[in-house]
Amino acid sequence: MNASNMELLRTKATAARSAYEPGYDPMLDATPGAGVDYAPTYWIGTAGEPPADDGPIQHDTEVEVAIIGAGFTGLTTAIFLAQEYGIQSVVLEANRTAWGCSTRNGGQAQCASGRLKRSQWIKRWGLDTALKMHRECVEGMENFKELIKDIDCDPQPGGHLYIAHRARVMPTLEEEAKLLRDTFGYNAQILDARTVKEQWVGDQEAHGAMHEPEGIGVHAAKLAFGYIKKARALGVKVHPASPVAGWETRDGYHYLRTPGGVVRAKTVAVATGGYTSNHLHKEFKNRLMPVLSNSVVTRPLTPQEIAACNFHTHQVLTDTRVLRNYYRLLPDNRLQIGSRSAISGRQAPEDKYEKNLREAIARKFPAIAGIELEYSWWGWVDVSHDMMPRIVQPDPKERIFYAMGYGGNGVMYSSQAGRRMAQRIAGRGAELDLPIFQDRLPFPNVREMVVSEAFAPFRRLGQRFLYRWYHLKDEQL
């Protein structure tokens, strides 16, 4: 490739090499592809042209730090390495930049780092550790706000409304809100059903709600594209269409084999989230339980439809289902709503999962039942087996680090995780004494079978039964 073509790559995003593949399954497939196009999400459809990158790896190269994954976590790790510690890194992405979780989520930045509530932190770790975990989340939220203040990502601030979808849930919400106020100094407030429907949103399933003071809705792709621009302005090299198809460690160096050449690195940071293949490296095999989430976006609502749905807020909304709905009115007055989806990647394209979201819209907002959907997609969520993330160096003898397992709360916490992973890589992580910084992602609570690939279908079978139980619990019990 001549110099003028190389310059073109540096001023323009690398084009897709193949069409979007809807059925990728991280539990079964070796890699997510090489240069695959974006999923057809609302975020990609409305973000404008992707920013310039540095093109695929073209030859063998040596780097100080290689980051695998050019999404929220990988890019913020690179940003903080350069900004705070003067350490340059190279980011390797299998497909197009920010191709995975970062452009398929709901864009809800909440003050959380995993699936567990504060009361559950206390039960698991005790009050002192729970208080430290809360401070970590609050600090993470402030870090996120600082990081995005110069990124045009359509922020919708104001908090998070956690809506009780059944009356029996309200006592639990009231207890949690009291704990948040009295123990954590976090001003969560309880709203009754009438207040929610008249002053916030006319969700017909609402039996009340808990309002959290922290929460920001963002345009996921504009945020990701902003991170890419910020990283490259700091000297970070971002290489799409460069999947790691082989990984060897010899004499203190990691050799990452990509289609265009081998990257030799002293340090590797893994930030592949829900798209982490079981084949990437032995450290990550069966450490996550990837689950699918579907999302749809409607055509813009008319002023009359907004009034009929009584939308008085653009804040992020979730309901209290175990298989929860997450939703909000976007800045262009479209409704976005998502929920859990299929069990396997091959099942994800089935119409019934989109139909479930159509039915959720009809239940919550009957005035717009049957409204046209303009975007529909799905994506993998990196759920850990104990419902909390990890930002760790699993083996102190090897320069491998990873940050993943956010369980659907990665929009905000990925930026804090990137900051913490950069801190660890730079050798400044001695004070990171919380459990999420100390232990590996756990295996599922099943003995020797879990380390075998052959056990994967049985985990999926268990997930299928769990989803049926959750549905029964959410809707009938």
Side-chain angles (χ1 to χ4, degrees):
M1 183 174 292
N2 61 39
S4 62
N5 285 340
M6 289 295 291
E7 184 60 31
L8 181 63
L9 284 175
R10 285 191 286 271
T11 59
K12 188 176 180 182
T14 299
R17 293 183 171 183
S18 59
Y20 164 61
E21 168 51 57
Y24 170 71
D25 193 321
M27 196 173 283
L28 303 175
D29 297 330
T31 70
V36 176
D37 206 355
Y38 292 113
T41 70
Y42 167 80
W43 313 120
I44 290 297
T46 57
E49 285 296 313
D53 55 58
D54 295 284
I57 292 290
Q58 299 284 352
H59 50 74
D60 292 355
T61 186
E62 184 167 342
V63 301
E64 182 70 23
V65 178
I67 298 171
I68 305 175
F72 291 163
T73 303
L75 293 167
T76 55
T77 300
I79 288 167
F80 285 111
L81 279 173
Q83 194 170 266
E84 303 295 328
Y85 307 108
I87 298 173
Q88 289 298 328
S89 60
V90 165
V91 183
L92 306 176
E93 170 59 51
N95 297 304
R96 303 197 75 184
T97 51
W99 174 86
C101 307
S102 298
T103 51
R104 307 192 201 201
N105 59 74
Q108 293 196 2
Q110 297 180 23
C111 194
S113 64
R115 300 303 302 166
L116 300 186
K117 298 179 291 187
R118 269 62 169 176
S119 57
Q120 292 170 309
W121 292 350
I122 294 172
K123 290 178 183 176
R124 179 173 291 185
W125 296 311
L127 180 58
D128 289 347
T129 298
L131 289 168
K132 289 180 182 178
M133 276 295 304
H134 177 73
R135 287 196 292 271
E136 171 70 7
C137 286
V138 171
E139 185 178 330
M141 200 75 192
E142 293 306 311
N143 171 57
F144 179 73
K145 292 174 187 175
E146 180 67 21
L147 196 60
I148 71 169
K149 69 180 182 181
D150 59 351
I151 296 176
D152 182 14
C153 58
D154 302 343
Q156 294 176 302
H160 165 228
L161 199 63
Y162 193 26
I163 296 176
H165 77 289
R166 299 184 72 183
R168 65 172 175 76
V169 182
M170 280 304 295
T172 301
L173 280 187
E174 290 165 358
E175 289 177 11
E176 195 73 19
K178 185 176 188 304
L179 177 72
L180 289 170
R181 290 192 306 272
D182 297 349
T183 302
F184 293 93
Y186 186 58
N187 190 27
Q189 296 296 323
I190 290 295
L191 309 173
D192 62 27
R194 181 175 178 180
T195 300
V196 172
K197 292 177 181 178
E198 291 183 357
Q199 299 180 23
W200 293 80
V201 58
D203 182 339
Q204 294 307 296
E205 292 189 309
H207 289 270
M210 179 175 75
H211 183 260
E212 294 185 61
E214 295 287 1
I216 304 172
V218 296
H219 189 297
K222 289 182 180 180
L223 175 60
F225 292 173
Y227 284 162
I228 294 167
K229 293 174 185 176
K230 191 183 287 274
R232 294 187 76 239
L234 290 165
V236 175
K237 300 295 183 184
V238 180
H239 296 285
S242 301
V244 175
W247 182 340
E248 296 180 34
T249 302
R250 302 191 306 271
D251 302 323
Y253 283 89
H254 303 282
Y255 295 83
L256 308 177
R257 178 168 52 82
T258 77
V262 174
V263 178
R264 182 176 186 254
K266 290 182 179 178
T267 299
V268 178
V270 180
T272 43
Y275 289 78
T276 306
S277 169
N278 264 337
H279 302 267
L280 177 63
H281 186 279
K282 62 182 180 181
E283 177 60 40
F284 307 105
K285 190 173 182 178
N286 296 319
R287 294 278 183 181
L288 291 171
M289 184 62 196
V291 301
L292 281 164
S293 185
N294 266 52
S295 195
V296 297
V297 172
T298 70
R299 64 160 170 77
L301 274 62
T302 66
Q304 294 77 19
E305 288 169 332
I306 291 172
C309 297
N310 217 31
F311 266 109
H312 294 290
T313 183
H314 283 269
Q315 290 183 28
V316 296
L317 314 168
T318 58
D319 67 24
T320 50
R321 288 175 166 86
V322 179
L323 301 176
R324 69 183 54 179
N325 294 125
Y326 51 91
Y327 46 115
R328 62 182 162 121
L329 191 64
L330 297 169
D332 59 3
N333 289 331
R334 300 172 191 268
L335 175 66
Q336 179 271 331
I337 185 168
S339 188
R340 291 295 174 258
S341 178
I343 301 296
S344 72
R346 305 300 182 261
Q347 296 171 321
E350 294 177 11
D351 291 342
K352 65 181 179 180
Y353 302 109
E354 182 181 297
K355 182 173 177 285
N356 289 343
L357 292 176
R358 290 182 180 276
E359 291 172 352
I361 292 172
R363 288 195 310 270
K364 292 177 179 299
F365 306 108
I368 57 170
I371 190 171
E372 178 186 354
L373 304 180
E374 294 194 348
Y375 296 89
S376 180
W377 71 91
W378 52 89
W380 291 99
V381 179
D382 54 329
V383 179
S384 71
H385 293 290
D386 70 349
M387 302 297 173
M388 291 300 290
R390 296 296 190 281
I391 304 92
V392 297
Q393 180 183 11
D395 184 345
K397 297 189 293 294
E398 286 192 320
R399 295 282 298 172
I400 298 174
F401 301 80
Y402 66 79
M404 58 184 74
Y406 312 125
N409 277 314
V411 174
M412 179 284 284
Y413 196 73
S414 59
S415 64
Q416 181 73 350
R419 179 179 170 224
R420 294 308 194 195
M421 187 149 68
Q423 192 175 348
R424 299 201 75 128
I425 290 169
R428 309 290 179 84
E431 71 274 24
L432 300 180
D433 59 351
L434 290 171
I436 62 172
F437 302 129
Q438 295 176 329
D439 301 322
R440 285 177 163 99
L441 285 167
F443 285 130
N445 191 22
V446 180
R447 297 192 182 273
E448 296 81 6
M449 290 188 299
V450 79
V451 299
S452 167
E453 260 183 68
F455 186 63
F458 295 98
R459 285 204 285 162
R460 288 277 168 82
L461 182 63
Q463 184 185 357
R464 195 178 305 279
F465 281 113
L466 266 179
Y467 273 24
R468 288 175 181 171
W469 163 245
Y470 290 155
H471 179 77
L472 182 67
K473 186 176 179 181
D474 284 337
E475 310 302 340
Q476 298 179 35
L477 297 181

